[in-house]
Amino acid sequence: MERTTPGTTELVDPGRGAGLVDVVRRRYLLSLLIRKDVQVRYRGSVLGWAWSFVKPAAQFTVFYFALGVFLRLNQSIENYPIYLFSGLILINFFSEAFSNATKALVDNGALIKKIYLPRELFPVSMIVVALVNFLPQMLILLGVCLFNGWDPSVGQVAGLFLAGLIIMIFALGLGMLFGAANVSFRDSQNFVELIVMVAPWASPVLYQWSMVRDVVPQWLFTLYQLNPITSAVNLMHSGFWEPTTGEASTAAPDTALFAAIGLTTSLLVLATGQYVFRRLEGRFAQDL
């Protein structure tokens, strides 16, 4: 394969690319993969896109009655339905993006063995598909918040975009890391399922952050806040739920600081995932 620039000709190894940069260069291929993934997901489905709402609606109903009604969190946390739903759709976004990005290489094994194209296209396409499913749920949440007097600041609205960015980067980094390992070691998927199962409970999705602060040592609470998912969930609560309560004291401590740390951590995870992905991609076609 040759890469040419004015006056020069550079030979590069077949099957070696520029990593995530190649995804930007081949945006058309990415759009084709996204379209294929969406069509395959809902092929033969009666409800089609409605399934994007059925799962979060069912989860919300179960958790609302189990925690909000039976354990009475609905009484201790103002506007608990908004608090619950804003965290729940974000954690579902992470779970779908991470899980599907991990399986993307194996699911597209037949294509990978036939032709060369940047392997990063597959996990990235899964992140975008998860984002497409996430956005309509955000619109529903926005409508509910507006009905409840939502009046956020500019910083809180910016925090919502930052929350989505943290989750996308973190899920992509983990998806590339575990996805590359999953090609040779299929039990990597079991670790992914464990992470997805624990994630809602390891961040303040179903409960309030103060409940953790009141029962664990300070060092452990700080470690809890360093979790990028925790920082993203706190940004979601700060942007959607807090402006409907009228109480500034409901915000998690140092939300902006831990959001910056969460974004930095997510970028480091992405860099690690890309490094491992590039190291192992030469064996993908053989192992698949």
Side-chain angles (χ1 to χ4, degrees), residues 140-212:
I140 292 176
L141 176 60
L142 177 61
V144 173
C145 289
L146 288 172
F147 182 78
N148 283 270
W150 188 58
D151 185 23
S153 65
V154 174
Q156 288 172 323
V157 173
L160 296 176
F161 290 96
L162 181 56
L165 182 62
I166 289 174
I167 291 299
M168 289 179 64
I169 295 174
F170 192 49
L172 178 58
L174 290 177
M176 293 178 67
L177 178 63
F178 282 91
N182 194 46
V183 172
S184 299
F185 308 100
R186 300 301 167 85
D187 53 351
S188 298
Q189 186 62 36
N190 295 326
F191 288 100
V192 173
E193 292 174 1
L194 287 174
I195 294 173
V196 168
M197 180 181 65
V198 171
W201 302 96
S203 51
V205 175
L206 311 174
Y207 53 85
Q208 208 163 19
W209 60 267
S210 57
M211 297 178 179
V212 179

Side-chain angles (χ1 to χ4, degrees), residues 253-267:
D254 299 319
T255 299
L257 172 62
F258 284 107
I261 295 174
L263 178 60
T264 303
T265 301
S266 298
L267 290 170

Side-chain angles (χ1 to χ4, degrees), residues 83 156 203-205 207-213 218 221 224-227 229-239 241-243 245 247-259:
Y83 183 93
Q156 288 172 323
S203 51
V205 175
Y207 53 85
Q208 208 163 19
W209 60 267
S210 57
M211 297 178 179
V212 179
R213 179 201 59 190
Q218 180 59 41
F221 180 59
Y224 170 82
Q225 290 178 289
L226 290 174
N227 176 6
I229 301 178
T230 296
S231 61
V233 170
N234 283 334
L235 286 171
M236 283 287 285
H237 288 156
S238 177
W241 169 72
E242 187 185 337
T245 65
E247 300 179 21
S249 60
T250 57
D254 299 319
T255 299
L257 172 62
F258 284 107

Side-chain angles (χ1 to χ4, degrees), residues 29-50:
L29 288 177
L30 178 62
S31 66
L32 291 178
L33 283 175
I34 293 170
R35 192 179 310 164
K36 174 187 74 73
D37 292 330
V38 171
Q39 291 174 347
V40 169
R41 172 171 300 193
Y42 298 110
R43 181 181 298 165
S45 172
V46 176
L47 295 180
W49 278 98

Side-chain angles (χ1 to χ4, degrees), residues 26-103:
R26 292 165 172 80
R27 296 184 293 275
Y28 178 69
L29 288 177
L30 178 62
S31 66
L32 291 178
L33 283 175
I34 293 170
R35 192 179 310 164
K36 174 187 74 73
D37 292 330
V38 171
Q39 291 174 347
V40 169
R41 172 171 300 193
Y42 298 110
R43 181 181 298 165
S45 172
V46 176
L47 295 180
W49 278 98
W51 283 112
S52 298
F53 303 97
V54 171
K55 179 180 177 180
Q59 285 182 312
F60 171 79
T61 302
V62 171
F63 285 128
Y64 176 75
F65 281 98
L67 302 176
V69 178
F70 301 149
L71 296 183
R72 300 183 179 180
L73 290 183
N74 197 31
Q75 298 178 12
S76 60
I77 301 178
E78 186 178 354
N79 288 345
Y80 181 66
I82 295 177
Y83 183 93
L84 175 62
F85 193 66
S86 58
L88 198 59
I89 62 172
L90 188 68
I91 204 68
N92 283 342
F93 176 34
F94 168 76
S95 299
E96 180 182 354
F98 177 29
S99 298
N100 291 341
T102 300
K103 297 182 292 185

